[in-house]
Structures are given as structure tokens and as C-alpha cells.
Amino acid sequence: MQTDERLRRWRMVLGGPDCDGTGVRLTGDDVRMDAALEALYGGGDGPDGGGRGRSRQGGLGASAPKVARWLGDIRAYFPSTVVQVMQKDAIERLNLTELLLEPEMLEAVEPDVHLVGTLLSLNRVMPDRAKESARAVVRKVVGELEKRLAQRTRSAVSGALDRSARVQRPRRPSDVDWHRTIRANLRHYLPERGTVVPERLIGYGRRQQAVKRDVVLAIDQSGSMAASVVYAGVFGAVLGSMRSLRTSLVVFDTAVVDLTDHLHDPVEVLFGTQLGGGTDINRAIAYCQGLITRPRDSILVLISDLYEGGNRKEMLRRVAELTSAGVQVIALLALSDEGAPAYDHDNAAALAAMGVPAFACTPDAFPDLMAAAIERRDLKEWAERHK
């Protein structure tokens, strides 16, 4: 029985005809699952047949009804995680981007980060009839990301701000953090008296409504950074909602656009981007320099693959000026689940030499990264531990 199941699975993987060597003949739902896979990864003309055993080139064609049926089939027979991978492959392999401009298609797809990135890249050419459907897709994905990430981000950042505000000379007993004070003075324990004699008091920083840190997110909106743009937009909105932070968000290609005024709505932030085009990191950093008025209380997060189309020497000089002034600069090669994409290794090495390590970061790790930056921990060490 176990052997039969293994042969069936091999038959589904191979996608060949009945004489493919497994001796397995598909029946029932397996036939329809095989047809859906064949349409994307096989060599035929789609789910309606043909082409078995030929080179795998895909065959959904340009028929909107056929694509709509195929989208329905894969949602019926595969889990959502697999559906998202197949949709991404279909868009890339079969050039289905034009069909995504149809509202009917947008209502049939399984929303995910990669689909949002594709829609954002089509934003400028999207017909009016499809824009509301596209916004609904983006809004759904953003809502799911906020549920997953917002609370963790607020907790991590708030905790880091409280810890960074601790004082060594609390003025009143109510300001003493007794748990930390006892731990810090355990070596002064007197067994005969059964007590600790604290030589050093650790106190809570007084809670203030004033802004404690300035955070600037500078996001490269070149095409390869699509997933990072989506996640950065969501995180920007979360950070922007915290009163103890002053958050700015800018996106750039060869020009710079300040989207800070839209941070109250991450969907508006994302539709304010324009994926694709060149990259001028130097211009973006120059703009960010103008936003920073309290260097030692500021964090600049540059999210980019570091391929500089502008003035590289000037870009590196500006980063050196920022770090010398006390700004905590972070270079993220990606903010996504996929890991680091292709990136400029020379620029990454040059930044590392200035004490600005360049590394990729997953969305789940980003809250902890921001906490580490607020506490001014060693980010190179942090990156090594979170590989």
C-alpha cells in the first residue's frame, strides 16, 4: 500500500503519460490535479489536454476564462501555501500580468505578498475598473500582515525604549527596578543577614510622552525589492503609530518620494510606490540627512540591494558622515522571507568597513532588530545570531 502511494506521488511529480514507468493510472481528483500542474509546468495547451511527455513550458495560453478556471482548480485541490507558489510561477513563467488587470482575475487569485508586489508594479498602467479590486487584494494582505507582526513590533520596540531609558541613580524608591537591582548585586549577598546590600541601584526611566527616537525608513523601490517594499510599508505604518517614535518613510529609485504623510494607512503607502526603474541611493541618503535633526537619537534603515546607479563615492561619504554624527545606520539587503537577493558585494563590504553591516532580515526578526538598534547593541553580532 505504501509502495502504491509512493508510485502515485512519483507519477504526479513526473507528469508523464500512463507509460512513464510508474504504471500508475490516475483517477478522480488526481486527474484534475495533474491537469492543473500540467497547465503550468507541462508542455501542453493547458488543462484541456495535449503535450504530455514534451518539454515543460507551460500552457495556460491567453484565455481569461481558462485562467479563471485554472485558478479555481488549484484553490480547490492544493493548500493556500502551494497555491501562492503556483500563482507566482504562473505570473513569471507564462506572463499573466496583463490578465491581472482584469477585476475577475483579481477576485479569483489567492492574495499574498508576491501578488501585491506584482500589482504595485502594474499600478501606473492599471485601468480604473481593476483598481478597486487591486486595492481590496492589497488591503487583505496588509491586514493579515498587521495581525501577524504589529503587536510583536510594538512590544519589542516599547520594551527596548523602556530599557534604554533606565537610570543608574533613581531619585525615589518607587523609581527603583528592584528585580534588576537585586540581580545586579547578588555578589553582595550577606548570608548571615539573609539579604543583599545593593551597591548600585537600577531605576526605571520615567515615562515621557516626548519622542525618544527618530526612525527613517529609506526603501529602494526597484523591481527586485517588491516583497521588501510590501513588508517595509506595513512596518512603517506600525512604527508610525507609536508616539514614542518619530517615523519617516521615503521610497526611491532615481527620484525620492516622501510618503510619511500616508503612514496612517499602509495601503496608501504601498500605492504611493512605483516599483521598477533605476536606483540613486546617494540622492535618497541626501534627502534622509535632511530629515535627521537628532543624530544620536536617530536610526536610519536603508532597505536596498545596494546597486548604486548614482554617485557611489558620495553615497559612502554620506553614510560615513551619518555614523560619525551618531546615527545608527542599518543596511537591509532584503526584508522578506526569501533571504538575501543578488546585491552589490563591494558596496556591502564598504558599508561593513564603516561599521554598517549589510544583511537580509526576515519580517519575523525585524521587531527584534529594531529593539537591538534602539538599545545600540552590536548589529553585526545580532545579524550573525539570526542567520
Side-chain angles (χ1 to χ4, degrees):
M1 192 65 151
Q2 192 174 14
T3 301
D4 291 344
E5 176 60 17
R6 289 185 65 185
L7 287 173
R8 170 186 164 275
R9 288 176 175 271
W10 272 113
R11 166 63 184 79
M12 297 292 286
V13 170
L14 293 171
D18 295 336
C19 58
D20 62 358
T22 63
V24 174
R25 183 180 294 276
L26 300 179
T27 60
D29 286 347
D30 284 352
V31 175
R32 288 178 282 275
M33 290 173 65
D34 187 55
L37 292 167
E38 178 70 15
L40 176 57
Y41 302 111
D45 297 322
D48 296 329
R52 293 198 179 278
R54 289 181 282 171
S55 61
R56 289 181 174 267
Q57 298 174 345
L60 282 171
S63 166
K66 183 182 290 186
V67 176
R69 287 195 301 272
W70 179 78
L71 287 168
D73 285 345
I74 65 173
R75 292 178 74 170
Y77 298 119
F78 300 97
S80 60
T81 52
V82 176
V83 170
Q84 291 169 6
V85 171
M86 293 178 73
Q87 284 178 173
K88 182 174 182 288
D89 287 348
I91 292 168
E92 293 177 352
R93 292 164 60 97
L94 306 180
N95 193 27
L96 299 185
T97 52
E98 291 183 6
L99 290 176
L100 287 178
L101 302 179
E102 298 294 331
E104 295 79 9
M105 291 299 102
L106 292 174
E107 292 168 4
V109 294
E110 183 78 23
D112 73 325
V113 169
H114 297 291
L115 179 62
V116 169
T118 300
L119 292 177
L120 295 179
S121 69
L122 298 172
N123 185 27
R124 297 296 185 269
V125 298
M126 190 176 293
D128 291 339
R129 68 181 185 278
K131 284 188 176 179
E132 192 51 44
S133 297
R135 280 182 176 273
V137 169
V138 174
R139 194 173 293 112
K140 180 176 180 180
V141 173
V142 166
E144 292 172 351
L145 292 179
E146 286 186 312
K147 288 180 183 177
R148 167 186 158 193
L149 301 168
Q151 187 54 48
R152 286 190 55 230
T153 302
R154 292 190 184 99
S155 296
V157 171
S158 296
L161 288 169
D162 287 343
R163 288 189 294 273
S164 66
R166 294 189 189 279
V167 295
Q168 300 299 319
R169 293 181 180 178
R171 297 179 180 179
R172 300 175 301 180
S174 61
D175 290 338
V176 177
D177 183 341
W178 290 108
H179 290 289
R180 283 179 168 265
T181 295
I182 290 170
R183 285 199 298 269
N185 291 275
L186 286 176
R187 64 181 179 277
H188 304 305
Y189 176 69
L190 300 179
E192 66 276 11
R193 293 182 178 271
T195 188
V196 170
V197 178
E199 288 192 355
R200 180 167 65 95
L201 297 178
I202 299 175
Y204 295 106
R206 294 191 179 182
R207 292 186 176 274
Q208 301 174 354
Q209 294 299 319
V211 173
K212 298 178 182 178
R213 291 287 189 279
D214 295 342
V215 177
V216 181
L217 300 176
I219 308 167
D220 182 345
Q221 58 180 355
S222 57
S224 62
M225 302 296 294
S228 297
V229 169
V230 176
Y231 282 115
V234 172
F235 279 119
V238 174
L239 296 175
S241 69
M242 301 182 66
R243 293 183 180 181
S244 52
L245 299 178
R246 180 185 291 112
T247 303
S248 302
L249 186 146
V250 300
V251 295
F252 65 92
D253 40 38
T254 53
V256 179
V257 179
D258 193 325
L259 297 175
T260 303
D261 289 343
H262 297 294
L263 281 176
H264 64 281
D265 186 348
V267 175
E268 288 300 318
V269 169
L270 294 179
F271 275 97
T273 64
Q274 185 173 351
L275 288 170
T279 308
D280 192 337
I281 303 174
N282 177 54
R283 176 175 289 188
I285 293 178
Y287 182 85
C288 293
Q289 276 185 300
L291 299 176
I292 294 172
T293 57
R294 305 186 305 163
R296 296 195 174 278
D297 292 318
S298 297
I299 302 168
L300 170 61
V301 184
L302 172 65
I303 304 172
S304 173
D305 54 17
L306 300 181
Y307 286 110
E308 172 63 309
N311 189 324
R312 177 181 185 269
K313 183 177 179 181
E314 190 77 3
M315 181 265 288
L316 295 174
R317 182 186 66 78
R318 290 185 187 279
V319 173
E321 287 178 355
L322 287 167
T323 56
S324 296
V327 178
Q328 183 87 325
V329 182
I330 306 168
L332 296 185
L333 304 172
L335 179 56
S336 68
D337 291 307
E338 282 73 36
Y343 64 94
D344 190 307
H345 291 260
D346 290 338
N347 283 336
L351 290 175
M354 300 178 193
V356 181
F359 53 90
C361 178
T362 65
D364 287 329
F366 186 77
D368 293 332
L369 170 62
M370 290 304 300
I374 288 169
E375 295 176 1
R376 290 191 170 273
R377 284 185 256 150
D378 186 333
L379 295 185
K380 181 178 180 181
E381 179 183 331
W382 184 93
E384 289 294 327
R385 286 192 289 106
H386 287 79
K387 277 186 176 179

